[in-house]
Amino acid sequence: MSEIQMPRLSDTMEEGVISTWVKNVGDKVASGDVLVEIETDKAVMEYEAYEDGYLVKQSVSEGETVPIGAVIGVIADSPDAVPEDSGDGGSEPEAAPAEEEQGEKAEEIQEAAEGTEAESAGESAASSGDGAARPRTSPLARRLAKEYGLDINRIQGSGPKGRIVRADIEAAREGGAAEQAAPAAQPKEEAKPAAEKAATAPAFDDGRASEELKVSNVRKVIARRLTESKQTVPHFYLRRTIDAEALKAFRAQINEQLSSTGVKVSFNDLIVKASATALKLHPAVNTSWVDDKLLQHHRVNVGVAVAVDAGLVVPVLHDTDKATLSEISTRTRELAGKARDGKLKPQEMSGGTFSVSNLGMFGVDSFSAVINPPEAAILAVGAMRQEPVVVDGEVVVRNRISLELSVDHRAVDGAVGAAFLKDLAEILEEPMRIIL
């Protein structure tokens, strides 16, 4: 009998959400079968079984969030096997169902990680001798009730032995605490404390007609990581506009040669490959500052930012400097499609040493990108524009592209970043250097 634990599916993952159980309790499982789909900080990923057997327990329900390492299920040799802590075959009839009990344990693990040991201790005291004074609740339920401004004493629990769980708090929030309270526990209106009366007063209408939207785990982690990046990484920015006439002609020539293969190289593919070429010339930019240590990366892995419904994900093209333009084009489109379908594998989003973010297709002239830690730099690419410029003493119209490099000043000095951007611009203006 083997426990299935919440895996670490990305280098930044701290917790995961059970999105969908693909296998049900009692189903036969073969090594390599998809057991469950897990929403991480980057995408929804499939988690495969590593052994043959039968799924005999789902410890965590769909929609639940648990930390890495928490038990989410059990695989056994027989479909009739009973996990030791399931509460079946020898436990008293009133014992809590295994799924609910394990779900509450997962909630307590999550709550403890946030530093609420004191609250857990308080609940133990209440259940051991002061049960009449305080309802049975999970730590997560108490925290949510506090966040939502609800009186937990007026909420009726639906969990084992009347325990108040997260679902009860959410229901109380939607329908009002009064509707969730047990009839016997309803206090008289005149006996309500002033603070409780204030809590039930109509909320102030700010005139914005706001609605709270459901926030995905991906969006939460994006918000946290970008905040950390701007607060902890000292960004500096370098800007340069390139003449794209030669690049445009080079792309047309390459695509003509590839016409029989069905592969079509984009401007972004050319910029990604040129970035990899420049990183080989300037290895000091292909670094990371981690825990007061400077790491030099000997592989060039360029991440390509892809916009999806849940936010922004960055699949990684490993060994970009060694890949051909057709390989970069094919692989980028494959990864972008998987990103939009939420099917990226952990290794396809890990190990980036540099990133490219292109908003030119949206008509954006230029922008400043936020560094994707632990990488030391990210290149922001704007739209190609026709602009009047002076060439050989005459004003002519040329296609031009704005580039902006965001750099981590802890790892890369200004002169080093400037030299990198200079060579990158020259490679794009003399695009034969991309394939030489």
Side-chain angles (χ1 to χ4, degrees):
M1 193 171 296
S2 303
E3 293 181 337
I4 308 166
Q5 297 181 337
M6 174 62 73
R8 181 184 293 276
L9 295 175
S10 75
D11 51 358
T12 58
M13 179 178 172
E14 298 177 358
E15 61 186 13
V17 178
I18 301 300
S19 178
T20 305
W21 277 104
V22 178
K23 295 291 185 179
N24 297 314
V25 172
D27 286 353
K28 187 175 182 179
V29 175
S31 178
D33 286 352
V34 177
L35 283 173
V36 60
E37 293 181 349
I38 298 173
E39 183 183 352
T40 72
D41 57 343
K42 295 183 176 179
V44 177
M45 301 185 184
E46 296 177 341
Y47 180 57
E48 299 177 352
Y50 289 95
E51 60 182 309
D52 299 340
Y54 294 85
L55 183 64
V56 296
K57 182 179 180 181
Q58 294 174 349
S59 305
V60 181
S61 302
E62 293 180 356
E64 292 292 318
T65 302
V66 295
I68 292 172
V71 176
I72 62 175
V74 177
I75 290 180
D77 295 332
S78 167
D80 300 320
V82 179
E84 294 179 0
D85 63 343
S86 68
D88 297 332
S91 60
E92 296 182 2
E94 66 272 20
E99 291 80 0
E100 182 65 38
E101 182 177 325
Q102 187 63 35
E104 293 301 314
K105 288 181 180 178
E107 288 181 339
E108 292 181 9
I109 293 173
Q110 181 179 7
E111 194 71 22
E114 298 180 5
T116 57
E117 293 87 349
E119 287 191 343
S120 297
E123 188 199 357
S124 298
S127 60
S128 62
D130 193 21
R134 293 185 59 190
R136 294 173 59 84
T137 65
S138 72
L140 181 58
R142 290 197 299 277
R143 178 170 64 83
L144 291 176
K146 184 177 180 180
E147 290 180 0
Y148 297 158
L150 299 175
D151 182 359
I152 202 165
N153 295 299
R154 302 183 60 213
I155 298 175
Q156 184 173 0
S158 62
K161 299 181 181 180
R163 186 182 181 90
I164 299 173
V165 295
R166 178 168 61 179
D168 303 319
I169 301 298
E170 298 292 352
R173 186 190 185 195
E174 293 294 328
E179 296 178 6
Q180 300 296 322
Q186 288 282 5
K188 293 183 180 180
E189 180 66 26
E190 57 273 18
K192 287 185 178 181
E196 186 175 339
K197 291 182 179 179
T200 59
F204 171 73
D205 183 1
D206 60 9
R208 295 184 296 179
S210 304
E211 173 189 0
E212 182 176 347
L213 302 178
K214 182 179 180 180
V215 180
S216 69
N217 197 43
V218 174
R219 172 52 60 188
K220 290 178 182 178
V221 176
I222 287 174
R224 185 177 72 245
R225 282 179 54 78
L226 291 182
T227 299
E228 291 174 353
S229 178
K230 290 294 287 186
Q231 289 179 342
T232 63
V233 177
H235 289 56
F236 72 88
Y237 306 94
L238 302 169
R239 303 172 181 87
R240 179 151 179 165
T241 300
I242 65 166
D243 186 304
E245 289 294 327
L247 188 67
K248 184 177 181 181
F250 180 72
R251 175 176 179 258
Q253 181 182 354
I254 291 292
N255 283 334
E256 183 178 355
Q257 295 177 356
L258 294 174
S259 58
S260 61
T261 66
V263 176
K264 190 173 183 179
V265 174
S266 69
F267 284 108
N268 200 63
D269 297 330
L270 294 169
I271 292 170
V272 167
K273 179 63 174 176
S275 297
T277 303
L279 287 169
K280 293 293 290 184
L281 297 175
H282 298 272
V285 180
N286 200 48
T287 58
S288 294
W289 184 267
V290 180
D291 297 330
D292 291 332
K293 297 177 182 178
L294 183 62
L295 304 180
Q296 176 68 65
H297 307 303
H298 297 296
R299 296 177 65 184
V300 177
N301 303 329
V302 179
V304 181
V306 177
V308 298
D309 291 341
L312 188 72
V313 295
V314 187
V316 177
L317 300 169
H318 293 86
D319 298 314
T320 318
D321 56 314
K322 301 176 182 178
T324 65
L325 281 171
S326 59
E327 288 172 340
I328 289 175
S329 175
T330 301
R331 186 62 175 153
T332 298
R333 280 150 185 77
E334 177 187 344
L335 291 174
K338 294 175 73 173
R340 295 185 182 99
D341 294 336
K343 301 299 183 182
L344 284 170
K345 296 179 180 179
Q347 59 269 27
E348 294 172 330
M349 294 189 292
S350 302
T353 63
F354 183 87
S355 290
V356 173
S357 182
N358 191 338
L359 294 180
M361 67 285 295
F362 298 106
V364 175
D365 292 327
S366 64
F367 65 102
S368 302
V370 179
I371 295 171
N372 184 26
E375 298 168 15
I378 182 172
L379 181 70
V381 183
M384 181 182 293
R385 298 288 190 191
Q386 287 191 330
E387 299 176 353
V389 295
V390 177
V391 178
D392 297 329
E394 296 183 358
V395 177
V396 296
V397 176
R398 308 280 288 189
N399 286 292
R400 291 160 66 82
I401 298 175
S402 292
L403 307 177
E404 181 165 329
L405 187 69
S406 303
V407 188
D408 182 350
H409 216 324
R410 298 173 302 177
V412 180
D413 291 331
V416 174
F420 168 83
L421 186 58
K422 175 179 179 292
D423 278 347
L424 174 59
E426 291 177 355
I427 291 171
L428 291 171
E429 292 179 338
E430 301 174 19
M432 282 299 295
R433 294 176 59 184
I434 294 175
I435 59 176
L436 295 179

